[in-house]
Amino acid sequence: MVKQKRGLHIIIASIVVWGGILAVELLNIPLLTKNLFVFVCTALFLPISYFISRLINVDYSK
């Protein structure tokens, strides 16, 4: 828990992803396009959390 800083990188990544989903939902685009963009936002969750873990110096693998 100490090395992973209690999942801080996951929490920050989820805030970023949910912010992206909110931005997509506020757009005035067709529903199918919104669904695609929301899928893309959620697919980026693990790469974003990995990048954030490198920024805050967290051991991601354990």
Side-chain angles (χ1 to χ4, degrees):
M1 284 178 25
V2 173
K3 284 185 180 180
Q4 290 184 345
K5 296 185 182 175
R6 299 179 192 252
L8 185 61
H9 59 290
I10 298 294
I11 295 168
I12 295 171
S14 65
I15 291 170
V16 171
V17 168
W18 279 106
I21 291 172
L22 176 65
V24 168
E25 290 300 321
L26 293 176
L27 293 175
N28 190 14
I29 55 177
L31 182 62
L32 291 175
T33 308
K34 280 185 184 182
N35 291 342
L36 177 65
F37 287 158
V38 168
F39 176 75
V40 169
C41 286
T42 57
L44 294 174
F45 177 72
L46 286 177
I48 290 172
S49 66
Y50 181 77
F51 178 70
I52 291 172
S53 73
R54 292 295 170 209
L55 286 176
I56 62 175
N57 201 15
V58 172
D59 188 10
Y60 187 81
S61 63
K62 294 185 180 185

